[in-house]
Amino acid sequence: MVHQLTKQAALAEIRKALIADMLPPPSRVREQWAAHHPGLDTSPMEVVALLKQITALVDRAVEPLYEGAPLTAPEVDLLIPLRHADEPVIARRLAEHMSISRAGASKALAKLEKRGFIARTPNPADRRAALVTVTQAGKDAVDALFPRQLAIEAELLEGLGEDRERVLDALARLAEVLQHASPS
């Protein structure tokens, strides 16, 4: 087990180095665009590049938790709202809540159903829509994995200290701006 974790950590570092070597920093990309298209405003990429980098860093830190686990991180994210729902959820509403396509949600739900983590039943009010509930196996898997994921995320964010509230406020503002800017 220790050898496997060491090997996994080494592979993660190799991937990190390869990505770092392949992708220039946003400042260099902005310089490159300025050389080719001097009038192009590349300032939005400062925010977007940081968001992508943060997402990649969190994903990389959480990734080892899901190696060999019965669920993937996106599947846990999909199951969490079901885990705490008081009644069955319509798949379309779940897709909207998760900001994923209906087709993507349907495909993920079919895989989860096949493995026994959710159950889908016909909706008596609308035969085109299925009602989705999490099974006990789904609850058990989420209850086992999610607290461990939270512990990893807490460790990652520990260094924010007093800046945590300021970061949360800025991210909440960004989410609000993006939500109002995106087509409904």
Side-chain angles (χ1 to χ4, degrees):
M1 181 74 173
V2 171
H3 174 68
Q4 185 180 10
L5 289 177
T6 305
K7 183 178 177 183
Q8 290 170 354
L11 289 173
E13 287 303 313
I14 291 169
R15 279 195 305 262
K16 180 179 166 184
L18 288 173
I19 290 170
D21 289 342
M22 291 184 338
L23 302 175
S27 60
R28 178 71 182 124
V29 176
R30 288 190 74 189
E31 290 171 10
Q32 291 168 338
W33 275 107
H36 289 69
H37 297 281
L40 185 63
D41 176 16
T42 58
S43 63
M45 71 180 289
E46 292 172 329
V47 173
V48 174
L50 281 172
L51 290 172
K52 289 179 180 180
Q53 181 183 12
I54 291 165
T55 300
L57 290 168
V58 171
D59 288 348
R60 186 168 51 230
V62 171
E63 188 177 285
L65 170 64
Y66 288 97
E67 290 178 14
L71 295 168
T72 64
E75 288 173 335
V76 168
D77 290 342
L78 193 60
L79 287 175
I80 288 172
L82 296 171
R83 171 69 178 98
H84 299 288
D86 293 331
E87 55 190 38
V89 176
I90 297 172
R92 176 177 25 99
R93 292 243 164 49
L94 185 61
E96 290 167 0
H97 172 75
M98 300 295 299
S99 297
I100 58 176
S101 71
R102 289 182 192 177
S106 180
K107 186 176 178 179
L109 291 171
K111 288 179 180 180
L112 289 168
E113 182 179 33
K114 186 176 180 179
R115 295 184 353 247
F117 294 113
I118 64 147
R120 292 193 283 186
T121 57
N123 183 349
D126 181 357
R127 62 187 171 113
R128 297 170 297 159
L131 298 175
V132 182
T133 55
V134 66
T135 64
Q136 189 60 49
K139 290 177 185 178
D140 292 344
V142 169
D143 290 352
L145 290 166
F146 188 64
R148 293 169 54 201
Q149 179 177 327
L150 278 178
I152 293 167
E153 293 168 350
E155 186 177 326
L156 286 174
L157 299 174
E158 206 171 76
L160 283 175
E162 294 177 7
D163 291 331
R164 182 182 172 93
E165 287 302 316
R166 203 169 47 105
V167 170
L168 281 172
D169 289 344
L171 289 171
R173 175 69 179 127
L174 177 60
E176 179 185 330
V177 167
L178 294 177
Q179 189 170 23
H180 284 81
S182 23
S184 299

